[in-house]
Amino acid sequence: MRRLKLTLARSLTGLLAVTGLLASSAATPAVAASPPSSPASSAVAPPGAPGAPGGSGSAPTVSFKGAAFDTCNAPSLADMRAWRSSPYRAIGIYYAGRGRHCPVQRNLNKNWVTQVHAMGWQVLPVFLGSQAPCVVAQNKKGVPIGSRPVQQGRTEAGQAVEQARALGMLAGSALYLDLEAYDVHNASCARTTLDFVRAWNKEVRGRGYLPGFYSSADSGVRQIEQARVAGKSDMPAAIWFARWHTGPALYQEAALHKDAWQHRRIHQYAGDAAETHGGRRLVVDRNQVDAPVARIG
């Protein structure tokens, strides 16, 4: 997510331009507890049906609507206090997974999650594990999905849930699987990747958590939407798509049907933007959110 640089040339002018959009769109964030609902539009699955986000007896979810940022390393508690003066009210954290660019998270532990949540922040947990065999980024080629994608997906889903629990994230939390841009035109690779994602989703959902999915709009997200339209089961409950150099446009994304994943979308629309709030400078990616987040306990 932080290293998605396929065609994303940095433009300071463009990043400054979207700051105004961010402030206006995030002025009144909303957080609400809600039961799971289906992300699909043309073929809505009833609760408990195969591929539906939840069913009877499933844990409640917490939804957030507003502005969020993510950054490679979880910021210090002092940074998070200072950034309460920003328009952001949610943060994406790379809490687990062998593919993380910043695997040593010195600040991130259960106490950090508890204290940040007590400050009023919502948390978007990101699991960056194995990547598509045809991943574009050179620094992700060393952690490929192997020849047994279903088993690997289940195993990594178990890791995602256990690490979330260790950080105090309760059942019903949304956990977002991060797959960086890959060659969706490589049929074998795309098939392997989809098998992995569906197995990960199924296992996460079976353990009482909500499976989310992050990728570039033109690769992973496009493939997941095609799978949804084709009627595939075990789809993500929420979609986090990257399309940079635009303003926030949750429901105008060309790769997604306008009615799909209603209130279960995140748009990452800018990256590697240096911002200072409360005297503290961070380099962040900018997101607009209308989606489930972690339940902190």
Side-chain angles (χ1 to χ4, degrees):
M1 188 185 289
R2 296 271 313 143
R3 303 280 83 83
L4 192 68
K5 300 188 184 350
L6 179 57
T7 57
L8 306 176
R10 296 185 180 89
S11 168
L12 180 60
T13 302
L15 293 177
L16 291 174
V18 297
T19 304
L21 288 170
L22 172 65
S24 62
S25 63
T28 56
V31 181
S34 60
S37 60
S38 172
S41 57
S42 58
V44 176
S56 58
S58 61
T61 62
V62 176
S63 293
F64 168 76
K65 188 173 184 178
F69 72 93
D70 64 88
T71 188
C72 196
N73 278 303
S76 68
L77 290 173
D79 287 336
M80 296 303 294
R81 290 189 192 97
W83 272 53
R84 284 291 294 168
S85 64
S86 76
Y88 302 105
R89 288 299 177 267
I91 176 171
I93 57 169
Y94 297 84
Y95 78 100
R98 69 186 188 121
R100 287 179 296 174
H101 186 76
C102 298
V104 179
Q105 296 279 335
R106 293 182 176 85
N107 297 318
L108 184 57
N109 52 41
K110 186 174 182 179
N111 179 64
W112 184 93
V113 173
T114 300
Q115 290 205 43
V116 163
H117 190 252
M119 292 177 201
W121 290 99
Q122 300 301 317
V123 175
L124 292 158
V126 181
F127 181 87
L128 207 167
S130 296
Q131 298 294 295
C134 52
V135 66
V136 174
Q138 287 295 322
N139 65 345
K140 297 293 185 241
K141 291 184 181 296
V143 289
I145 299 167
S147 60
R148 303 178 70 183
V150 172
Q151 180 176 326
Q152 194 170 349
R154 289 172 182 161
T155 298
E156 294 195 25
Q159 296 167 359
V161 169
E162 291 306 313
Q163 289 296 316
R165 285 176 178 158
L167 290 171
M169 301 177 198
L170 304 177
S173 294
L175 309 179
Y176 290 87
L177 175 64
D178 182 332
L179 281 184
E180 298 299 299
Y182 58 94
D183 181 6
V184 291
H185 301 295
N186 181 326
S188 176
C189 175
R191 183 168 54 252
T192 294
T193 303
L194 183 59
D195 287 346
F196 173 87
V197 172
R198 293 175 65 200
W200 193 92
N201 293 342
K202 184 176 182 179
E203 186 70 17
V204 166
R205 187 175 277 120
R207 290 172 180 249
Y209 286 71
L210 208 62
F213 179 76
Y214 168 93
S215 191
S216 64
D218 288 329
S219 62
V221 169
R222 189 175 297 278
Q223 184 182 13
I224 288 294
E225 171 64 354
Q226 290 170 348
R228 181 194 69 82
V229 172
K232 297 288 187 182
S233 62
D234 301 317
M235 290 290 97
I239 287 285
W240 189 339
F241 62 94
R243 189 177 294 284
W244 289 10
H245 305 302
T246 74
L250 279 172
Y251 296 103
Q252 292 78 48
E253 171 51 46
L256 295 169
H257 189 283
K258 63 182 180 65
D259 295 327
W261 285 284
Q262 285 287 316
H263 306 299
R264 288 175 178 269
R265 289 193 188 190
I266 303 171
H267 179 196
Q268 186 187 82
Y269 61 92
D272 291 339
E275 296 186 27
T276 300
H277 300 285
R280 296 275 183 157
R281 181 182 182 274
L282 295 173
V283 178
V284 304
D285 295 340
R286 297 168 175 161
N287 306 273
Q288 191 66 21
V289 182
D290 183 10
V293 295
R295 292 180 64 226
I296 310 300

